Amino acid sequence: DTDHDTTKQTTQLIDDQGNLFGVVNVIDALVVLLTLAVVVAGVALVFGGGGEPETTYATLDLGTQPDEVITALNEGDYDTTEGIPGNLTIADLYIVSAGDQSRAIARVEIEATSNEGVITYDGGPLRLGRSLTIATNRYEVSGTIRDVGNASTLNTEQTELVIEDTIDVETADELTVGDEIRIDRRPIGTVASVTRYGTDDPTQVRVVVGLSLATLTNGDIPRYGLTPVVRGSEIPLPIDGGNRLNGRIIAVGTSDPPGEATTRTVRLRLSEVRDRIADTYREGMTETTGGETVA
């Protein structure tokens, strides 16, 4: 009787046609369950299922940005994109001049997941070269991952260097020792020394400028943005009045101009000078550059 009852119950569960409860074919049911399992596994992979929450940091090169975006960027801004499992917040910013625009490099805090040593955010590992987007209610920017690690701030330091450039007289006159160099509202350096030299063009002056400049130090060579701070490199810098220097680096590690200031007496011979010009020369005449008598 017991065997008969068990057989009867089994028959009620799966009938002679192989239907589960007399409704669904057993093979079809297994296919549905397998499909559901695959879907669930896919969702878990995309959303980091099974991973442990982990806070990490990454350096994003946001590239050149228009002035209005540079002004809007701030530490503490966070991504508000819906559907992203995790959070991305700007922890530190470094802004440099890049010609007519500015370049932004951000250190961001990321609420990610870690699974068997792989840190995942928004459906993928945090690999070098991957692009991440920061979308707020004021702006949207994308950046390339340059570094991933535990440091919450960018590694910066003040680097002393000397640059030279040929600029118009009015711009040269605006350069003063102690001037703060700013991009938007952010100070990035200080003018430590200024030496001016006349040129064949009376409207142009060659300037040698010593600076203390904020640089990134992720290796042996400091960088102004992505530009190595070494002799021969050119770096653009904003100065007062909306003007710019596009200086070539001639010394690193010091903000003093090369050599020592001294006074020399020289004798010049001018040939084929028109009489009306020659008659204007007098003893005691001076050559003045930037308000300083140089000869």
Side-chain angles (χ1 to χ4, degrees), residues 46 81 83-86 110-112 120-126 130-133:
V46 171
T81 304
I84 291 182
I110 301 174
E111 299 300 328
T120 303
Y121 173 76
D122 190 20
L126 292 175
R130 179 185 169 187
S131 180
L132 295 180
T133 298

Side-chain angles (χ1 to χ4, degrees), residues 168-212:
D168 60 81
V169 174
E170 291 76 12
T171 301
D173 288 343
E174 293 174 356
L175 284 171
T176 306
V177 173
D179 283 352
E180 194 172 54
I181 299 174
R182 289 175 171 267
I183 296 179
D184 193 50
R185 62 191 179 280
R186 300 176 177 91
I188 64 167
T190 305
V191 176
S193 65
V194 181
T195 307
R196 301 171 178 85
Y197 299 95
T199 67
D200 292 339
D201 184 346
T203 66
Q204 299 287 302
V205 177
R206 186 170 72 90
V207 292
V208 177
V209 183
L211 301 165
S212 177

Side-chain angles (χ1 to χ4, degrees), residues 212-228:
S212 177
L213 195 63
T215 57
L216 290 173
T217 54
N218 289 331
D220 295 335
I221 299 176
R223 293 178 179 273
Y224 177 76
L226 300 182
T227 303

